[in-house]
Amino acid sequence: MKHHFIAEVCVMTIGQLAQKFGLSRSTLLHYDHIGLLTPSGRDDSNYRRYTDNDIKRLELVSNYREAGISLELIKQIISGKGNSVSRILTNRFRQIIDEINLLREQQHVIVELLKNSDAVKDNPIFGQEQWKSLFIDSGISEPTMKKWHTIFEKRSPEDHKQFLESLGISSREITKIRKWARKKDGK
Amino acid sequence: MKHHFIAEVCVMTIGQLAQKFGLSRSTLLHYDHIGLLTPSGRDDSNYRRYTDNDIKRLELVSNYREAGISLELIKQIISGKGNSVSRILTNRFRQIIDEINLLREQQHVIVELLKNSDAVKDNPIFGQEQWKSLFIDSGISEPTMKKWHTIFEKRSPEDHKQFLESLGISSREITKIRKWARKKDGK
DNA sequence: TTGCTCCTCACGTCACGTGAGGTGGC
DNA sequence: TTGCTCCTCACGTCACGTGAGGTGGC
């Protein structure tokens, strides 16, 4: 005996799918253009129809994108060709380490430039409060900020000190901050 | 009484300058195109002649580039227009923090993906040794690797554990590595 | 008719890299 | 002549973003 009701398939338009995944339409258009995610069909008005399968595929794509894998490599992964997934992932992991180290070096350079600039004289207003609000405005929570100080202090205490100095914070305050950054350790 | 010898000015061709700064020719060509660094003159063959002043300017550009400042902002800094230098530098510093956090999230995703993949079954060879040589091949020294383990362990012990597991390392080895990563602390 | 989403080009972004085709001095 | 550096377009990269100009259903 057959079921006479049609299986409930979930078909979505490009806008709905974009919203569901927190992506932009142009991102999905782009994925279609390069053949990474072509919708299974079109409706009467030539609108893209994304089916369940397409959605599953986008789920995969989205995950790998969140790992920072390039679209080209994601194509390879999904098609099953090219390097093994675990190799691609570990390569990317190593790449991230390099990128983070590069960014750390940039932070180091910035500290040096601030040290040599007349930031303090130029801008005595630009003190601890401004800096703190900068963190908060950018959505960084107090605990994250503290954690960051802790890591900075541990990684390169001298840079940390100089950085704090470049902000025009009093040496008494600096001593306080650094002490507490080191203390968090034992906890 | 005047000096009758001509001041020794240092004039360089584009190739020489590129080599001196460890940049490519096309980089310098690009800087000329966008008006960031236009050589003071040309010689008879229409070759670019970079003078002492140009070299000093490139020194500045190069420094800010090493801080990851965009060419557009460097233009503003050198021309003295726009935001103050210290503001630009601290903005960039904050941006780097965001970027590093994004990369850390990507590492987290990779760990999850490795955990859920059959990396271990697929690739039992892909053990500690392969991973270690990956680090070494990519120019990361042993001490840097150790430092990295230490930080990873401190920041998110659970992720670190899972990551090590995903590599197929024995639980005994893992315990050993993690213990030693924590120990470094007291030193 | 208004408002909404959808469509397809096609060009812009950022910091260069890469030829193609040609010149000039040793 | 060979080899070297230099020159000027002009197009490619990567992952989209941004109009421009137009359609289709409520």
Side-chain angles (χ1 to χ4, degrees):
Chain A
M1 194 182 164
K2 283 182 183 176
H3 290 285
H4 283 281
F5 48 86
I6 293 154
E8 200 193 332
V9 277
C10 179
V11 179
M12 305 180 81
T13 69
I14 192 168
Q16 294 165 340
L17 191 60
Q19 192 166 26
K20 184 178 166 74
F21 279 81
L23 301 172
S24 68
R25 279 142 195 254
S26 45
T27 297
L28 294 182
L29 283 175
H30 183 59
Y31 290 175
D32 189 0
H33 282 314
I34 63 170
L36 178 60
L37 181 71
T38 305
S40 301
R42 301 285 183 120
D43 70 5
D44 296 347
S45 314
N46 201 28
Y47 286 16
R48 290 172 177 78
R49 288 165 43 106
Y50 290 91
T51 68
D52 277 350
N53 270 343
D54 299 332
I55 295 169
K56 276 179 198 156
R57 191 180 168 100
L58 183 54
E59 188 75 51
L60 276 175
V61 172
S62 176
N63 280 332
Y64 286 114
R65 272 272 75 203
E66 282 172 28
I69 307 291
S70 73
L71 300 183
E72 194 50 46
L73 282 175
I74 294 176
K75 251 190 189 174
Q76 287 182 25
I77 290 173
I78 293 181
S79 73
K81 289 170 191 167
N83 280 317
S84 82
V85 182
S86 59
R87 184 163 293 275
I88 289 174
L89 287 175
T90 47
N91 276 348
R92 174 62 189 151
F93 199 94
R94 167 175 73 72
Q95 199 182 43
I96 293 175
I97 293 173
D98 290 347
E99 287 176 21
I100 289 180
N101 283 333
L102 185 66
L103 289 172
R104 288 211 187 290
E105 281 168 29
Q106 294 191 355
Q107 284 187 321
H108 185 95
V109 172
I110 291 174
V111 171
E112 291 299 309
L113 287 172
L114 280 172
K115 230 178 39 173
N116 296 338
S117 84
D118 20 37
V120 184
K121 276 181 294 173
D122 264 13
N123 233 335
I125 322 133
F126 201 91
Q128 198 184 357
E129 283 312 310
Q130 268 66 19
W131 184 250
K132 201 169 164 182
S133 66
L134 213 80
F135 271 87
I136 290 164
D137 289 351
S138 64
I140 295 173
S141 65
E142 190 96 354
T144 304
M145 192 174 88
K146 289 194 173 182
K147 196 186 263 176
W148 178 78
H149 271 301
T150 308
I151 291 169
F152 199 1
E153 176 68 23
K154 198 177 320 285
R155 265 197 72 95
S156 50
E158 203 44 43
D159 278 349
H160 190 206
K161 185 184 158 216
Q162 282 168 4
F163 176 67
L164 291 169
E165 277 169 0
S166 77
L167 295 175
I169 299 175
S170 75
S171 57
R172 186 174 299 176
E173 267 299 314
I174 291 178
T175 311
K176 207 169 116 192
I177 292 172
R178 298 184 64 202
K179 207 172 237 168
W180 135 131
R182 284 194 296 269
K183 222 191 291 175
K184 253 198 132 178
D185 235 28
K187 206 179 163 189
Chain B
M1 197 181 161
K2 282 179 179 173
H3 289 285
H4 284 279
F5 48 86
I6 293 153
E8 202 193 331
V9 279
C10 177
V11 180
M12 304 180 83
T13 70
I14 192 168
Q16 292 165 342
L17 192 60
Q19 191 167 27
K20 184 180 166 75
F21 279 81
L23 302 172
S24 69
R25 278 142 196 255
S26 46
T27 296
L28 294 182
L29 284 174
H30 183 59
Y31 291 174
D32 189 0
H33 283 314
I34 64 169
L36 178 60
L37 181 72
T38 305
S40 301
R42 301 284 182 118
D43 71 5
D44 296 346
S45 313
N46 201 27
Y47 286 16
R48 289 172 177 79
R49 287 163 45 105
Y50 291 89
T51 68
D52 277 350
N53 269 342
D54 300 331
I55 295 169
K56 277 180 196 157
R57 190 179 168 101
L58 182 55
E59 188 74 53
L60 275 176
V61 171
S62 176
N63 279 331
Y64 287 114
R65 271 271 77 203
E66 280 172 29
I69 308 290
S70 73
L71 299 183
E72 193 51 44
L73 283 176
I74 294 176
K75 251 191 191 172
Q76 286 182 25
I77 290 173
I78 293 181
S79 72
K81 288 169 190 166
N83 280 316
S84 80
V85 182
S86 60
R87 183 162 293 276
I88 290 174
L89 287 175
T90 47
N91 276 347
R92 173 63 190 150
F93 199 94
R94 167 176 74 71
Q95 199 182 44
I96 292 175
I97 293 172
D98 290 347
E99 287 176 23
I100 288 180
N101 283 333
L102 184 67
L103 290 172
R104 287 211 186 291
E105 282 169 29
Q106 293 190 356
Q107 285 186 323
H108 184 95
V109 172
I110 290 174
V111 172
E112 291 299 309
L113 287 172
L114 281 171
K115 230 177 40 174
N116 296 340
S117 84
D118 19 37
V120 185
K121 275 181 293 174
D122 264 13
N123 232 337
I125 321 132
F126 203 92
Q128 198 184 357
E129 283 311 312
Q130 267 64 20
W131 184 249
K132 202 169 164 183
S133 67
L134 212 81
F135 272 87
I136 290 163
D137 288 351
S138 64
I140 294 173
S141 64
E142 190 97 352
T144 304
M145 194 174 89
K146 289 194 171 180
K147 196 185 262 175
W148 178 78
H149 272 300
T150 308
I151 292 170
F152 198 1
E153 175 68 23
K154 197 177 322 284
R155 267 197 70 98
S156 50
E158 203 45 42
D159 278 349
H160 189 206
K161 185 184 158 217
Q162 282 168 5
F163 176 67
L164 291 170
E165 278 168 359
S166 77
L167 295 176
I169 299 174
S170 75
S171 58
R172 187 173 300 177
E173 266 299 314
I174 292 178
T175 311
K176 208 170 117 192
I177 292 173
R178 297 185 65 203
K179 208 173 236 169
W180 134 136
R182 283 194 297 269
K183 222 191 289 175
K184 256 199 127 178
D185 234 29
K187 207 178 167 188

